[in-house]
């Protein structure tokens, strides 16, 4: 939809609710240098635009 490439290295697995949220709101998602997705909230939620990660399932 936003003209990004469709390839394995550029995919993020999301539930349907969060998939729609990314496409229908100002949230942004990108793949960081380490290959993990980062999410950026709209400026009204986070004026600094700090990327966020889901760290729940990261290996320690």
């Amino acid at each position: 939809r936003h003209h990004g490439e469709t390839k394995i290295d550029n995919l993020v697995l999301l539930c349907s609710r969060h998939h729609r949220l990314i496409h229908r709101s100002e949230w942004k998602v990108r793949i960081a240098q380490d290959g993990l997705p980062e999410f950026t909230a709209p400026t009204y939620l986070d004026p600094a635009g700090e990327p966020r990660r889901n760290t729940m399932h990261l290996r320690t």
Side-chain angles (χ1 to χ4, degrees):
R1 178 176 179 193
H2 299 287
H3 309 290
E5 291 184 83
T6 301
K7 57 184 184 177
I8 293 294
D9 294 340
N10 194 29
L11 298 178
V12 176
L13 183 62
L14 299 171
C15 68
S16 58
R17 177 179 178 221
H18 288 106
H19 180 96
R20 286 189 303 272
L21 181 68
I22 293 294
H23 284 289
R24 296 179 181 169
S25 72
E26 296 176 39
W27 278 87
K28 296 175 185 158
V29 61
R30 72 178 190 102
I31 305 298
Q33 291 286 351
D34 61 4
L36 297 174
E38 292 183 335
F39 300 87
T40 305
T43 54
Y44 67 88
L45 291 175
D46 181 9
E50 291 294 320
R52 303 167 186 215
R53 290 184 173 202
N54 178 353
T55 58
M56 179 177 266
H57 304 290
L58 289 180
R59 295 179 187 168
T60 56

